[in-house]
Amino acid sequence: TTTGDGRPCRNETFEKLGTIGTLSNLLVYLTTVYHMPSVKAATLLNVFSGTSNLATVFGAYISDTYLGRYTTITVGTVSSFIGMLILTLTAALHSLHPRTCSSSKGKQCQGPTDSQLAALLVSFFFLVVGAGGIRPCNLAFGADQFDPRTADGRRGIASFFNWYYFTFTIAIMISATVIIYLQSNVNWALGLAVPAALMGLSCAVFIMGTRLYVRVRPEGSPFTSFAQVLVAATRKRQLLQARGAEAELFDPPHRSKLVSKLAYTDQFTCLDKAAMRTPEDLLCADGKMPVHPWRLCTVQQVEEVKCLARIIPVWSAGIVYSVVLTQLGTYVVLQAAQTDRRISNSSSFEIPQGSFIIFQMLALTLWIPMYDRFVVPALRRFTGREGGITLLQRIGVGLALSVVTMLVSAAVERRRRRIGSLMPWFWLVPQQLLAGLSEAFGAIGQIEFYYRQFPENMRSVAGAVSFLGIAVASYASGLMVTVVHRATRRRDGRPDWL
């Protein structure tokens, strides 16, 4: 059926307004309200971000195997609301955060007690559970509401994705301006209560549409199939396979009308052993399914694992690339705090230090339509390719731009250290614009690359793989910060590099 209901899209809008409005300014909250050292706060946020993205893999598995997308999103939405409510209480209740203190007067501000830190970590826990439930399922659940076999359904799916990315952009705009301004310039309790209220509204709006939703029953996670291939190939690692012996592999007739049949490839032939049938491998009565799926797999299953193996080099490069965006997401906030953030010399209004992400987003949103309307058609005339350039070339451009981004960032940081707080805020804009331009090439190119490499039943894996790369990058970024902090610490008491 085709419901045409927009509640999943609105749910995502409120969720993004809530979470982005809270998390993008969280470094400021930890350093000013909880009095954490900048290195400790940045490391904690890197671990939190990495765990949130890693949780999406478990969320996708639980959704596909046990709960289904609707129940998983419901649990995630409620969990996110609880997490933001607790985070709001840490600002509203004096007993849940350290005493107000101004370090500019030369006093050493007292950090959080064990109970105060525990309250903060409990809120992070619920936010991680919420991210694991919402992020891998929301887009797929929205698409489930439309029937792809009808013209109206296909138009509905296209419209849903357009509205999804439109509302995502609007959510970032509002979060990076209004909500961060409330947090930094009015009151932290109010600034955190607004995202919490929006998340509560998200819960109500989503649950109100329960009777209208199309719910697709879970049919098993692709991750289980991956594990079966790896276990079966390991068990049969001693078997020898002759060259060109793909005809001997277990390849029953393909029965699915939704999932494309994958042709046999001669790459990663060690995995082919999972489909080699031995006398111990029994089949069901129909002869199309093995009795023990952890001992014998089909060629289709093996080829799906090969699809995953082929993207590992690109995925690995994406981890290093994501470290750049992770570093800019934390340290540009600390840089901005030590610059002149007034709009003009005669103005008393200061740009909130957590709002500088808006320049990265502007570059991203302005470049994408220009790229689609003008750059791609111009390149298509020269290369003859539908996309102008290949996806790997697009990713390569993003990687190159990320290098330029960090070189510009290093030059700006060198100048900032030389002239201190007298440096105007707009010196931080070029690196943010370059980061957004790099993301338009590298990040979007990676997502499209994963999507095209996988068959239909692995499209959810594409999103999980992308989030997993960001998770590893966040952990790597936190590790890098910790190593540099400790390795450059001076014995004479002088501060380290960071």
Side-chain angles (χ1 to χ4, degrees):
T1 61
T2 302
T3 67
D5 190 85
R7 284 184 176 85
C9 188
R10 294 196 292 270
N11 169 267
E12 182 77 358
T13 302
F14 290 130
E15 190 270 335
K16 286 292 182 292
L17 274 169
T19 55
I20 294 176
T22 300
L23 302 181
S24 57
N25 208 30
L26 201 54
L27 184 63
V28 182
Y29 183 66
L30 295 181
T31 54
T32 59
V33 177
Y34 269 73
H35 307 313
M36 288 187 182
S38 59
V39 173
K40 183 178 180 180
T43 303
L44 177 60
L45 287 187
N46 284 328
V47 174
F48 170 62
S49 176
T51 306
S52 298
N53 287 297
L54 184 62
T56 60
V57 178
F58 298 99
Y61 174 79
I62 292 174
S63 171
D64 292 342
T65 307
Y66 302 107
L67 300 183
R69 296 189 181 103
Y70 169 78
T71 304
T72 305
I73 294 175
T74 302
V75 173
T77 304
V78 173
S79 181
S80 291
F81 173 65
I82 295 174
M84 282 186 282
L85 189 62
I86 296 175
L87 189 62
T88 303
L89 293 177
T90 63
L93 302 180
H94 296 293
S95 60
L96 295 182
H97 62 259
R99 293 183 178 179
T100 303
C101 169
S102 177
S103 58
S104 60
K105 298 180 180 181
K107 296 189 300 181
Q108 183 69 30
C109 295
Q110 182 180 359
T113 63
D114 292 341
S115 59
Q116 293 168 348
L117 187 60
L120 181 68
L121 294 180
V122 168
S123 70
F124 283 3
F125 169 78
F126 281 102
L127 290 173
V128 166
V129 174
I134 295 175
R135 294 180 186 178
C137 300
N138 219 46
L139 267 177
F141 180 72
D144 287 343
Q145 308 310 303
F146 305 93
D147 188 351
R149 295 169 294 183
T150 65
D152 289 341
R154 289 190 291 271
R155 285 194 295 268
I157 291 175
S159 176
F160 171 76
F161 279 100
N162 289 335
W163 277 104
Y164 171 84
Y165 286 107
F166 174 77
T167 55
F168 177 80
T169 303
I170 297 300
I172 296 179
M173 289 283 290
I174 296 176
S175 298
T177 52
V178 177
I179 293 179
I180 288 182
Y181 178 81
L182 289 176
Q183 293 172 349
S184 301
N185 297 80
V186 180
N187 183 276
W188 273 106
L190 176 63
L192 291 172
V194 171
L198 290 172
M199 196 66 242
L201 181 61
S202 171
C203 293
V205 169
F206 183 73
I207 295 175
M208 283 170 58
T210 298
R211 294 184 179 181
L212 303 177
Y213 296 143
V214 175
R215 305 189 208 177
V216 179
R217 294 182 179 179
E219 298 180 355
S221 173
F223 293 107
T224 302
S225 180
F226 299 160
Q228 289 173 344
V229 171
L230 297 177
V231 171
T234 302
R235 284 179 171 179
K236 299 179 179 180
R237 61 186 180 277
Q238 303 297 336
L239 296 181
L240 298 179
Q241 181 182 6
R243 290 183 177 274
E246 60 269 18
E248 301 176 1
L249 302 178
F250 179 58
D251 191 14
H254 191 62
R255 295 180 296 178
S256 176
K257 297 180 179 179
L258 299 176
V259 181
S260 301
K261 169 67 175 176
L262 297 178
Y264 173 81
T265 58
D266 58 357
Q267 294 176 314
F268 308 107
T269 54
C270 60
L271 296 174
D272 293 345
K273 296 179 180 181
M276 294 177 63
R277 187 181 174 190
T278 64
E280 292 81 13
D281 297 325
L282 304 178
L283 300 181
C284 296
D286 58 3
K288 297 178 180 179
M289 294 295 294
V291 174
H292 302 291
W294 293 89
R295 287 191 55 87
L296 179 64
C297 302
T298 65
V299 171
Q300 177 78 6
Q301 289 178 284
V302 173
E303 290 300 321
E304 289 176 356
V305 177
K306 290 182 180 181
C307 289
L308 187 64
R310 290 189 195 100
I311 60 96
I312 289 179
V314 177
W315 179 77
S316 301
I319 294 175
V320 183
Y321 167 76
S322 297
V323 171
V324 172
L325 301 180
T326 302
Q327 284 294 313
L328 287 178
T330 53
Y331 272 91
V332 73
V333 178
L334 301 176
Q335 285 180 307
Q338 301 178 63
T339 60
D340 184 358
R341 291 179 281 116
R342 294 178 299 170
I343 297 295
S344 64
N345 292 333
S346 59
S347 175
S348 59
F349 175 77
E350 290 187 339
I351 300 176
Q353 61 193 88
S355 295
F356 279 79
I357 190 178
I358 197 172
F359 297 107
Q360 181 176 335
M361 184 215 60
L362 282 174
L364 177 65
T365 54
L366 292 177
W367 172 252
I368 289 177
M370 292 178 56
Y371 182 77
D372 288 336
R373 294 287 185 90
F374 303 106
V375 178
V376 170
L379 291 173
R380 188 182 296 128
R381 288 194 291 268
F382 288 99
T383 63
R385 296 182 179 274
E386 183 180 356
I389 56 177
T390 67
L391 288 176
L392 290 179
Q393 289 171 338
R394 184 174 182 178
I395 295 171
V397 172
L399 293 174
L401 286 173
S402 70
V403 176
V404 177
T405 300
M406 297 311 293
L407 291 175
V408 172
S409 180
V412 170
E413 174 64 6
R414 185 174 183 178
R415 176 180 176 82
R416 188 198 65 79
R417 286 175 176 265
R418 187 169 64 250
I419 65 177
S421 60
L422 297 177
M423 189 179 80
W425 60 269
F426 53 76
W427 279 90
L428 300 177
V429 174
Q431 65 193 48
Q432 294 297 101
L433 296 178
L434 284 171
L437 195 61
S438 170
E439 193 172 357
F441 281 96
I444 297 178
Q446 284 185 66
I447 294 174
E448 186 176 355
F449 177 78
Y450 299 152
Y451 185 85
R452 292 192 179 186
Q453 290 294 310
F454 295 149
E456 292 82 355
N457 63 319
M458 294 175 62
R459 297 285 163 80
S460 60
V461 177
V465 166
S466 179
F467 282 120
L468 180 61
I470 298 174
V472 176
S474 298
Y475 290 133
S477 179
L479 177 63
M480 183 174 63
V481 169
T482 302
V483 170
V484 172
H485 173 62
R486 293 182 178 180
T488 60
R489 186 179 298 168
R490 308 291 182 87
R491 294 183 177 180
D492 56 3
R494 287 186 295 172
D496 59 273
W497 287 0
L498 302 181

